[in-house]
Amino acid sequence: MKKFLIAILMAMPMLAAAQDNTWERIEQEPVQKENPDAKYLAEGAVPVVDGKVCWQTTITAPGKSAQQIYDILLKQMTKMVNEPNQIANSTIALQNSETYELGAVFHEWLVFKSSALSLDRTKFNFQLFVKCANGKAEIKITRITYDYDMDRKPVHYDAETWITDKYAVNKKRTKLYPLSSKFRRKTIDRKDFIFNKFNTLLNENN
């Protein structure tokens, strides 16, 4: 009896395999997980213009005059230079209501990680330029630098030699280099936030 049971148990995997008609299964392509850094690895994510990191965009605002756009963005930029994350000397440096041009200098904290036990952040310096016209605004962010580890051993980085593809992305464009990755991510996020905020303000009543 014992031998009979052993024989049945040994035969069960063979029976299961015989009933496993793999051709009857619905074929599915393997799902490839999206790289969480895809946005930051994309070609052109950090553009260089005339040797300088420079993001530029044109925001359309149908029905709004150059003066209206100028007033809206001046109000927002004035708010920005007075936000809690700003450091001394952030200011509106250019206001020209005749040419409808604005320029601001920002020195702000860019926080990578904050907890009860540690705070990892950098001083983020950049300039923001705006050129308004009827129905649109041309926005530019450039002259970007970082002052890191200010409380211990300060290190200064230029965006051109720290967050550009050459210095922040591997040759296969599959990953970011560890040291500069957090700077590249947070800078792109900050740029996106500013551009999206301007777009929302200029189009919220359209």
Side-chain angles (χ1 to χ4, degrees), residues 51 53 144 146 156-164 166-168 180:
V53 170
I144 298 167
Y146 310 90
H156 181 81
Y157 298 113
D158 296 319
E160 291 73 28
T161 56
W162 194 234
I163 67 166
T164 52
K166 180 179 179 181
Y167 297 94
S180 58

Side-chain angles (χ1 to χ4, degrees), residues 17 21 23 46 56-57 60 89 145 168 175 200:
N21 294 324
W23 56 269
V46 179
Q56 302 177 81
T57 189
T60 59
N89 300 322
T145 62
K175 64 180 180 179
T200 298

Side-chain angles (χ1 to χ4, degrees), residues 145-204:
T145 62
Y146 310 90
D147 295 296
Y148 184 58
D149 215 1
M150 299 289 287
D151 298 328
R152 292 181 295 177
K153 188 178 180 181
V155 182
H156 181 81
Y157 298 113
D158 296 319
E160 291 73 28
T161 56
W162 194 234
I163 67 166
T164 52
D165 289 359
K166 180 179 179 181
Y167 297 94
V169 183
N170 71 338
K171 291 182 178 180
K172 294 182 178 179
R173 304 195 73 87
T174 56
K175 64 180 180 179
L176 300 175
Y177 292 136
L179 294 178
S180 58
S181 61
K182 60 187 178 183
F183 292 82
R184 182 169 168 121
R185 292 188 192 100
K186 283 294 183 180
T187 303
I188 291 173
D189 288 346
R190 180 59 168 147
K191 176 267 301 183
D192 286 346
F193 180 88
I194 292 171
F195 285 177
N196 290 336
K197 182 65 177 180
F198 282 11
N199 183 66
T200 298
L201 290 171
L202 293 179
N203 288 281
E204 61 184 356

